[in-house]
Amino acid sequence: MHRLKINGEQVEVDVRGAESLAAVLRERVGLIGTKIACERGECGACTVLVEGRATMSCIQPAALVTGDVETIEGLAEEILDLRAEFADRGAFQCGFCTPGQLVRATALLRDAAPRAGLDPEEVRHQMSGNICRCTGYQAIVAAVVDVAERRAGVDR
Amino acid sequence: MSYVGTSQRPHDWAARTDGSTLFAADLRLPALHAAVLRSPHPYADIVALDTSRAERMPGVVAVITAADFAPDAVYVHRGAPLSDRPPLARGTVRHVGQEVAAVAAETYVQAVAALAAIRVRYRPRKAPLTLAEATAPGARRLHERTTDEPNVSVLFATEWGDAATGRAHARTAVEGRFAYPSVSHACMETNTTLARWNQADGTVELWTSTQAPWFIGKEVSQLLGLEHDQVIFREVATGGGFGSKSKASEHEVLAAALARKANRPVLLSLTREEEMGANKPRHRFETWLRTSVDDDGLVRLYESDIRVDNGSYNHMGPSVMRVGAITLGSMYRPDGAVIEARLIDTATQPGGQFRGYGTPQVSLAAESQLDELADRLGLDPLEMRLRNVNREYATTLCGYDVTTARLADCLDAVRTELDWDRRRADPRPDRGVGVAAGSHGSGAYAYDLANRSDAAIDVFDDGRVRVRYGGSDAGTGQSTILAQIAADELGVDLADVEVLSMDSEQTPFELGAWSSRGTHMTGSSVGKAASEVAERLRDLARAKLGTQDVVLRDGQAVGADDAVALGDLVRLSDDAVDGVLSHETIYLLEGTEPLAPGKSTANLSPTYAYAAHGAYVEVDRRTGAVQLLDYVAAHDVGRAINPTAVEGQIAGGAVMGIGAALGEELVREGGRIINTSYLHYAMPRSADVPSVRPVIVNAHDPAGPYGAKSVGEMSIIPPGAALANAVQDAVGVRIRELPLTPDKVISALAEKEGRRRRHRIWRRPGRWWIALMRALYPLGLHHVLHHWGTRFGRGVGTGVADPESVTSLSAPDDLGTVLHEVAAGAQVIGGGSDAMVERRREAAPATVLISTRSVLALRGVRRAEDGALRIGAAVTLAELAEATRETVPVLAEAVDSIASAQIRNVATVAGNLVQEKRCWFFRNGFSCYKRNGVTSPCYAVLGDHRFQHAVIDGHRCQAVTPSDLATVLTALDARVELAAEDGRRTLTIEEFFVGPGETALRPGEVVVEIVVPAAAVRRRSAFRKLNLYTGDFATASAVISGDVDESGTWTEARLVLGAVAPVPWRAVEAEEWLCGRIAPTAAQLRKVLDRELDREAHPLPGNGWKLDAVAGLAEHVLEAVTGVRPGEGR
């Protein structure tokens, strides 16, 4: 049995061989918000945070994960502002890549917290591992930049 | 309040952003998993097919073949005689990837294992794979068709308008052949169906990713011998469609057939590889066009010969071709158009319906030529189009009755928003602007009943409202605008409106979202249903309140001095059942007409949308790279019902079109798609499209519901020509085949400037045998190796992740344990980001894996006392970048360009160095020389080798070492420390790499540290790479690292070129030249390097351009270290 801490809760899972973290989350723990779109670590739909760092869970062997895992389900409350901004700006259409985008952005926003916002170019570069086929990215970047700015304003 | 015309959040935004929205693969039915056996041959007869062994495999519950369907079962699409595609191959396969059999098993891995146990004996036939091959004299015919020409499935020849008048007024003409490649929809959710068979009533329930459930139901029912209403859809989210999910593919019927046979639920979810390699992409068009204009620049005549790659079955080819041709009869005001279009069968997967539907392809030709003509006449391209814009309320050549047409306003918006006049006059070289326009219908009367949409409204006694419609929202925002419309008609809060789609038992008839019909058809039907219910509610209120003057607002019916809640009115209604007042209605669109046999014109749509897009680009003449700086997409959408959603459709479609213009293209070898992964498919990432700005030209169209026109398809039409025109404006080369990849741009520039390289292989005996081998490949060597040699190889893995293939996976914290395990045969991995993927293609991957990530001793980056930089092998790329940003910025810079932030967070330095080659043949399942063994061919010799293969020192394998770090570390004279149980050794990095992605590591050895000597740390260095999208591997890269003394003299120099040779390649002669130089210029270095490259290189026929590109990168990096800005000092 492998012990995982997922969204703050200890879970014991019988991980099979090289089973991916994404498969474990979806099939064993029932956290289907983490999506699988390429299963090769190339698109970002499966992004979760492991020890606070954005990780492609579709190629991350679950057996090697020891730190805290955070998924969209666990983060939804923390990023209510970002989710609302995504909705207001049209930063998602079909929504399939959206959990991955939001989780990736969460790590960026946390890193940015001590600073005064995020630079759009940095957001674009840092989020280029998250493919979106619907929106053309403009609204996603704008939403992340806006929320970073707003949070910086509140924090100051 | 009024919601129509205002931006509103998607109605289900909360669920879409907290992970709770259910897509088909998220449902938790206890389902079997299905896998599909696909043809490896482009064209072959099936001599024998035996599934008996597969049926006995562990976990297998059902296997189906063509025998499980009626002997004449075919997808009907638009009906005979064009219907030609069986649900599973019957006797013959006609493309690589065609479905031959399908298996349902307890697990996906079991299903895949069973596929291997199905015995199929094929008799391959010579296959026409391209338009040229299919129409060559004596070409093998794929089908018996009704036209006289071989492999021409449909011939459409028409003359619209008055060609003679057009010809008489024509003063200037240009002609040319344009090609728009086949591209993939690449929806984030692969095509997925969950099917449940209900034995009791013989129905099948489907949860499927679709834009048009009605069509799927029609195909599934007729192929399974059921009635249409025996196929029952359930609402489920659809993860992107873009057309691909608007007609039945195969997964729907295969899942249903397997569920029936197994009598258990079955989940069939295509892999990414299947999605990109075997689904139905955009049709490739080769369009010859001649555009004739008069002296005023008015288009007078179009003459065109259009050749459409149908693929192996008709699927949607006939109508895609037709709509493509209509481009020339619907835009502008020519006197006539003479068109011949051929739909040509090739032994490749059938093309499918894709956003834009033939229009982007033909538009590329028409809008490029408009610029060529503007140039001839000395007109501004915007002015050229303004003179030609469609008139309002006029009939076009193809029979379209235009209502409003605000193309001129769109063009003006481009001029203003893009700052067209200033940027066009911008003296900065290599920057340019381009514009293109287009139009698209709002729905099309393309099928029976396509002019009808039904919708239903429920009003509950608690005041809530529900919209029911039979379509499906694949992400377009359709459901949200329907809720807005219902809320307005009924005067309720938008939050009180819910929407139910695609439930066969609850939602009324509706053909679905295709042909840009969603907004018009369902907007109209829902509006009608809601207004009819509203009238009933007002009637009830009039009776209750005793006044005629009643309005619905704020959830109430409000009279002169009293009000009553809608819920109370529901309770008063005799028609309400169980507290719900329901109303269903039919909207019938008047004034449009279907295409009929023998009739070439028709008013297909109620309204037509227009758009103009403007692009501002910078072209790097040194590398051929096209950088998009700014993009404006101005659209005449009538009235935007939900402006934010409209802007989303514009930006999304524009970026998809920009992707096809700049990088996307499905590439085949032997009929098989090579680039079946996102990695090898150059789709835009966020950083590639820094500024795409939608502009809504708001108006009101009398034909549209609430004044609206379509938008979803319109936005993908102009980008191809807009970008091609901008590149022409920037550097003066006209490229007529998309995508505008650096190879095409730099080759066109080289041709224009008369540059040529000579490599004089005859003077280099060391290259003779490679030259001989390359010469023999097309003469039969490739054929022999491919057909016979590959049979003697070690095999290739399926590409499927099998967790059980690993028996032990650990991450010990001490190096001793790692070395011990590795000595015993374990495979060492770092973060696993490459190894866990790569092993799926190995015939016999290691079963014991051991990770270095927990070995503390390998996880540090430190400066040694002597000033050297010592990098632990298990340091992640992100950690390396962090640690070197100030001290050795060239390392951080290179790391930043690698893959994605997520990968950089786990990938290790050693893992990056030892990663496998990125050759797309090697990676994507080809039985190649390196993968399968020495009797196999290198597919790159004859296949597409433009981007990823060697131009220097290529041998039997043409791949290169993919690591950017390797290139940089070579320039930094790095040493690699290796450890094994029996001791340590140190290699220079040049000794470490011995071949493409191959190292001098011995069995039992592990990389423990990389050392950059102090002298190199202190040097000035710079790195630059050319790639096809942000995060892509290098197509070419260059690093320069040098010492410059106080007098400004170079005393030490390294110039290393990446991705051009099997290992990072030092330009030794250029290095020597640099030493002793004071302020060397880029132009001087280029001269020396060109000489060296000419002497040393031995490119393949299609990748010689990389020499120019890499030399251009060398110029860039020299300027970067000397602080010269590009262009200065040339």
Side-chain angles (χ1 to χ4, degrees):
Chain A
M1 284 305 232
H2 187 72
R3 294 186 68 148
L4 286 167
K5 193 170 170 197
I6 302 170
N7 298 330
E9 279 179 44
Q10 289 286 347
V11 183
E12 288 217 339
V13 189
D14 178 19
V15 172
R16 294 174 300 147
E19 201 171 5
S20 72
L21 178 58
V24 166
L25 290 170
R26 289 177 54 83
E27 289 157 28
R28 310 298 186 81
V29 192
L31 295 173
I32 50 85
T34 300
K35 301 299 178 202
I36 294 179
C38 75
E39 231 182 335
R40 292 164 60 125
E42 295 166 3
C43 77
C46 66
T47 303
V48 301
L49 303 184
V50 176
E51 294 171 52
R53 280 187 294 272
T55 303
M56 303 290 197
S57 66
C58 72
I59 52 167
Q60 172 64 51
L64 295 181
V65 175
T66 49
D68 289 6
V69 176
E70 291 170 279
T71 71
I72 183 64
E73 289 89 348
L75 295 169
E77 203 58 40
E78 172 187 333
I79 57 167
L80 206 52
D81 53 350
L82 183 66
R83 292 169 53 210
E85 194 63 32
F86 262 51
D88 284 336
R89 285 191 169 268
F92 64 89
Q93 286 175 23
C94 82
F96 197 83
C97 74
T98 308
Q101 304 277 2
L102 289 166
V103 173
R104 170 70 197 110
T106 301
L108 265 183
L109 287 168
R110 283 182 185 171
D111 291 348
R115 294 184 276 148
L118 277 165
D119 173 47
E121 202 180 328
E122 183 187 356
V123 172
R124 285 180 185 281
H125 186 77
Q126 290 295 333
M127 292 194 62
S128 278
N130 290 76
I131 297 178
C132 170
R133 191 56 158 167
C134 291
T135 65
Y137 303 109
Q138 312 302 314
I140 295 174
V141 175
V144 175
V145 169
D146 272 13
V147 168
E149 208 165 89
R150 215 174 306 141
R151 286 191 186 180
V154 168
D155 290 343
R156 263 180 299 197
Chain B
M1 83 167 273
S2 173
Y3 294 104
V4 169
T6 67
S7 290
Q8 297 297 331
R9 290 179 180 176
H11 74 111
D12 55 352
W13 73 272
R16 296 251 172 193
T17 55
D18 70 6
S20 62
T21 290
L22 294 175
F23 294 84
D26 298 333
L27 296 160
R28 286 288 157 251
L29 284 184
L32 298 170
H33 295 262
V36 181
L37 181 69
R38 297 174 181 280
S39 166
H41 300 288
Y43 191 19
D45 292 324
I46 297 176
V47 181
L49 174 58
D50 178 8
T51 59
S52 55
R53 206 156 65 90
E55 283 157 19
R56 295 193 299 272
M57 295 278 285
V60 172
V61 181
V63 182
I64 56 169
T65 66
D68 289 86
F69 294 90
D72 56 353
V74 283
Y75 285 89
V76 291
H77 300 312
R78 308 187 64 183
L82 293 173
S83 302
D84 56 9
R85 188 165 60 98
L88 285 170
R90 199 159 43 227
T92 306
V93 288
R94 292 185 176 85
H95 66 90
V96 173
Q98 185 171 354
E99 301 75 10
V100 173
V103 174
E106 299 294 344
T107 71
Y108 182 66
V109 171
Q110 286 173 332
V112 170
L115 295 182
I118 296 176
R119 287 185 199 156
V120 193
R121 214 144 60 75
Y122 295 97
R123 188 187 302 123
R125 308 173 68 172
K126 201 167 156 40
L129 298 175
T130 61
L131 291 175
E133 285 173 17
T135 51
R140 183 70 59 103
R141 291 182 192 229
L142 284 166
H143 298 275
E144 284 311 312
R145 297 297 197 193
T146 52
T147 70
D148 296 334
E149 302 175 37
N151 290 317
V152 174
S153 172
V154 178
L155 173 63
F156 174 72
T158 192
E159 186 178 324
W160 283 319
D162 180 0
T165 302
R167 209 168 274 125
H169 286 90
R171 290 292 176 274
T172 310
V174 292
E175 61 179 70
R177 186 171 295 285
F178 295 79
Y180 196 111
S182 183
V183 291
S184 174
H185 306 78
C187 306
M188 293 306 292
E189 181 205 22
T190 61
N191 274 280
T192 301
T193 297
L194 175 65
R196 177 162 66 189
W197 177 255
N198 301 310
Q199 193 74 48
D201 57 1
T203 60
V204 61
E205 282 172 287
L206 297 182
W207 292 261
T208 188
S209 53
T210 182
Q211 303 167 243
W214 190 90
F215 276 114
I216 313 299
K218 175 179 158 187
E219 293 288 10
V220 170
S221 59
Q222 68 93 8
L223 286 168
L224 293 185
L226 304 174
E227 295 301 318
H228 197 143
D229 64 5
Q230 286 177 290
V231 181
I232 298 167
F233 286 85
R234 298 296 182 207
E235 189 176 46
V236 71
T238 298
F242 320 115
S244 68
K245 295 169 180 172
S246 69
K247 301 292 181 300
S249 278
E250 279 74 24
H251 56 105
E252 305 95 340
V253 73
L254 297 182
L258 283 167
R260 176 164 72 174
K261 190 157 185 176
N263 196 19
R264 283 177 57 183
V266 170
L267 175 69
L268 175 48
S269 181
L270 298 190
T271 63
R272 179 57 51 190
E273 191 182 354
E274 290 178 300
E275 184 77 22
M276 299 187 76
N279 217 328
K280 296 172 186 59
R282 189 185 288 290
H283 293 83
R284 176 186 175 85
F285 273 48
E286 293 181 6
T287 306
W288 176 87
L289 180 68
R290 190 220 301 267
T291 307
S292 303
V293 296
D294 61 22
D295 288 336
D296 295 327
L298 286 179
V299 176
R300 305 308 297 245
L301 181 67
Y302 283 124
E303 295 160 281
S304 188
D305 178 16
I306 302 171
R307 294 149 59 90
V308 180
D309 190 340
N310 191 26
S312 54
Y313 295 97
N314 280 322
H315 197 60
M316 291 297 131
S319 56
V320 169
M321 179 175 78
R322 188 72 175 262
V323 173
I326 280 176
T327 307
L328 301 173
S330 58
M331 272 299 278
Y332 307 130
R333 312 186 308 272
D335 299 281
V338 184
I339 298 167
E340 257 189 41
R342 285 173 176 77
L343 183 65
I344 297 166
D345 295 328
T346 61
T348 60
Q349 79 266 47
Q353 53 299 324
F354 194 144
R355 195 179 207 171
Y357 213 77
T359 314
Q361 294 97 312
V362 177
S363 196
L364 168 70
E367 291 293 314
S368 294
Q369 289 195 340
L370 220 50
D371 263 40
E372 293 182 61
L373 288 161
D375 187 48
R376 294 267 190 100
L377 299 176
L379 285 175
D380 178 294
L382 274 173
E383 173 60 25
M384 181 81 181
R385 286 167 177 82
L386 282 166
R387 292 184 183 192
N388 281 285
V389 291
N390 290 62
R391 299 237 161 88
E392 298 202 314
Y393 300 96
T395 300
T396 69
L397 289 183
C398 67
Y400 284 0
D401 293 329
V402 173
T403 54
T404 58
R406 308 278 301 268
L407 179 55
D409 295 339
C410 296
L411 291 161
D412 285 339
V414 167
R415 187 189 294 280
T416 311
E417 287 293 323
L418 198 66
D419 202 359
W420 173 271
D421 296 319
R422 194 181 62 81
R423 282 173 171 171
R424 194 168 146 74
D426 191 343
R428 261 176 300 188
D430 309 340
R431 289 195 174 195
V433 288
V435 64
S439 86
H440 200 274
S442 306
Y445 202 160
Y447 293 85
D448 284 348
L449 301 175
N451 63 335
R452 176 179 156 180
S453 175
D454 297 5
I457 296 284
D458 304 315
V459 184
F460 298 90
D461 59 8
D462 59 1
R464 282 180 307 116
V465 170
R466 182 167 71 163
V467 174
R468 288 182 280 127
Y469 76 110
S472 160
D473 182 342
T476 60
Q478 187 180 0
S479 289
T480 302
I481 65 159
L482 299 182
Q484 289 175 250
I485 288 169
D488 270 12
E489 292 290 349
L490 292 162
V492 299
D493 195 304
L494 186 57
D496 289 330
V497 183
E498 58 185 270
V499 184
L500 177 70
S501 65
M502 65 183 297
D503 185 306
S504 301
E505 290 177 336
Q506 299 187 70
T507 58
F509 171 79
E510 158 58 27
L511 283 184
W514 48 270
S515 202
S516 290
R517 68 192 294 282
T519 295
H520 185 91
M521 296 305 295
T522 61
S524 299
S525 60
V526 168
K528 183 166 182 254
S531 69
E532 287 166 358
V533 174
E535 189 50 29
R536 282 200 8 222
L537 291 168
R538 278 191 293 266
D539 276 344
L540 290 164
R542 285 177 190 122
K544 165 92 179 157
L545 301 176
T547 169
Q548 285 305 300
D549 192 18
V550 172
V551 291
L552 303 184
R553 64 162 190 260
D554 304 330
Q556 296 178 311
V558 183
D561 35 40
D562 205 355
V564 55
L566 292 196
D568 293 337
L569 293 174
V570 171
R571 275 188 283 274
L572 289 175
S573 166
D574 296 337
D575 301 332
V577 178
D578 296 336
V580 191
L581 176 63
S582 296
H583 175 68
E584 189 172 318
T585 201
I586 296 172
Y587 168 72
L588 269 180
L589 170 61
E590 306 283 341
T592 60
E593 46 189 348
L595 286 171
K599 188 172 181 301
S600 78
T601 63
N603 183 35
L604 291 174
S605 307
T607 78
Y608 300 90
Y610 293 86
H613 288 196
Y616 181 42
V617 303
E618 177 159 20
V619 179
D620 183 350
R621 283 176 187 267
R622 288 172 172 171
T623 63
V626 178
Q627 168 76 39
L628 183 66
L629 301 174
D630 195 9
Y631 195 91
V632 170
H635 281 242
D636 164 19
V637 297
R639 179 181 182 209
I641 293 179
N642 183 337
T644 297
V646 167
E647 286 171 356
Q649 287 300 307
I650 295 173
V655 167
M656 203 177 242
I658 290 166
L662 294 183
E664 294 180 37
E665 148 182 47
L666 289 169
V667 182
R668 292 194 180 88
E669 170 56 30
R672 171 176 174 182
I673 294 198
I674 311 162
N675 50 345
T676 51
S677 63
Y678 282 132
L679 177 72
H680 287 132
Y681 187 74
M683 243 163 76
R685 271 59 170 185
S686 188
D688 301 316
V689 279
S691 173
V692 175
R693 297 184 287 138
V695 177
I696 296 173
V697 174
N698 237 328
H700 182 98
D701 189 274
Y706 309 90
K709 297 185 187 183
S710 70
V711 64
E713 291 187 88
M714 181 62 254
S715 50
I716 204 170
I717 294 166
L723 267 304
N725 289 341
V727 168
Q728 154 75 36
D729 185 50
V731 290
V733 294
R734 167 65 56 193
I735 295 170
R736 295 184 175 83
E737 175 163 4
L738 299 186
L740 305 162
T741 40
D743 57 310
K744 293 198 188 99
V745 175
I746 212 167
S747 300
L749 285 168
E751 197 186 320
K752 190 180 164 205
E753 292 159 14
R755 282 187 281 120
R756 248 190 92 193
R757 290 183 181 274
R758 287 193 178 76
H759 301 295
R760 298 192 168 82
I761 303 300
W762 51 273
R763 279 195 195 166
R764 295 156 59 189
R767 299 298 301 172
W768 285 358
W769 81 269
I770 294 294
L772 176 69
M773 183 200 68
R774 289 181 184 177
L776 289 176
Y777 256 68
L779 300 177
L781 180 58
H782 176 86
H783 183 85
V784 169
L785 294 174
H786 174 64
H787 285 282
W788 305 98
T790 48
R791 300 179 188 192
F792 303 103
R794 64 179 80 97
V796 181
T798 59
V800 171
D802 176 6
E804 317 272 2
S805 67
V806 173
T807 55
S808 165
L809 179 55
S810 58
D813 53 18
D814 69 301
L815 183 59
T817 311
V818 172
L819 296 179
H820 185 71
E821 292 281 330
V822 171
Q827 182 192 351
V828 64
I829 65 170
S833 54
D834 183 49
M836 299 314 295
V837 177
E838 171 52 26
R839 58 181 283 108
R840 303 175 196 162
R841 285 294 180 197
E842 290 171 18
T847 55
V848 178
L849 304 183
I850 190 153
S851 169
T852 54
R853 283 287 287 129
S854 298
V855 180
L856 218 52
L858 304 184
R859 298 223 32 201
V861 181
R862 61 195 173 87
R863 288 296 283 276
E865 273 171 28
D866 65 353
L869 184 73
R870 304 189 75 96
I871 307 163
V875 166
T876 65
L877 296 181
E879 289 161 354
L880 177 64
E882 198 67 15
T884 57
R885 203 166 297 281
E886 305 298 326
T887 50
V888 199
V890 68
L891 276 172
E893 222 174 287
V895 166
D896 287 344
S897 78
I898 296 172
S900 60
Q902 290 94 318
I903 295 295
R904 295 192 293 271
N905 278 339
V906 297
T908 62
V909 169
N912 181 274
L913 293 179
V914 305
Q915 68 182 306
E916 264 299 355
K917 46 198 142 281
R918 289 288 149 167
C919 164
W920 52 15
F921 302 101
F922 179 83
R923 281 269 164 176
N924 293 338
F926 282 74
S927 301
C928 79
Y929 166 66
K930 282 288 185 188
R931 177 67 76 190
N932 194 45
V934 291
T935 58
S936 304
C938 169
Y939 287 90
V941 175
L942 295 185
D944 192 322
H945 48 240
R946 286 174 295 160
F947 305 115
Q948 303 162 21
H949 296 95
V951 283
I952 304 171
D953 293 345
H955 272 248
R956 277 216 52 197
C957 165
Q958 316 297 326
V960 298
T961 292
S963 166
D964 290 324
L965 268 188
T967 312
V968 177
L969 289 171
T970 302
L972 296 178
D973 307 331
R975 298 189 308 269
V976 185
E977 306 269 346
L978 309 176
E981 269 206 304
D982 56 359
R984 293 191 170 221
R985 62 181 181 133
T986 303
L987 300 178
T988 67
I989 191 132
E990 289 178 77
E991 292 165 334
F992 182 68
F993 286 106
V994 298
E998 289 157 21
T999 69
L1001 274 173
R1002 296 170 183 153
E1005 243 175 3
V1006 174
V1007 176
V1008 290
E1009 204 167 42
I1010 317 294
V1011 184
V1012 179
V1017 170
R1018 284 192 299 267
R1019 290 205 296 254
R1020 292 192 207 172
S1021 306
F1023 166 83
R1024 202 61 190 262
K1025 87 186 195 191
L1026 172 69
N1027 52 12
L1028 299 181
Y1029 61 85
T1030 299
D1032 187 15
F1033 284 83
T1035 285
S1037 67
V1039 185
I1040 209 161
S1041 176
D1043 264 332
V1044 182
D1045 68 16
E1046 284 163 12
S1047 71
T1049 309
W1050 282 62
T1051 55
E1052 192 75 63
R1054 302 284 179 277
L1055 174 58
V1056 183
L1057 309 182
V1060 292
V1063 297
W1065 194 80
R1066 280 181 63 179
V1068 179
E1069 197 175 303
E1071 289 178 358
E1072 282 169 7
W1073 177 84
L1074 278 168
C1075 287
R1077 239 8 84 175
I1078 298 172
T1081 67
Q1084 291 170 325
L1085 174 66
R1086 175 70 185 245
K1087 213 167 193 176
V1088 176
L1089 182 59
D1090 271 344
R1091 209 163 49 223
E1092 186 175 7
L1093 290 173
D1094 283 351
R1095 204 184 54 245
E1096 298 291 335
H1098 188 183
L1100 291 155
N1103 67 359
W1105 71 277
K1106 279 177 63 166
L1107 294 163
D1108 284 356
V1110 82
L1113 290 168
E1115 292 184 72
H1116 279 308
V1117 288
L1118 178 66
E1119 286 174 344
V1121 294
T1122 53
V1124 177
R1125 292 223 309 275
E1128 286 177 13
R1130 282 172 97 184

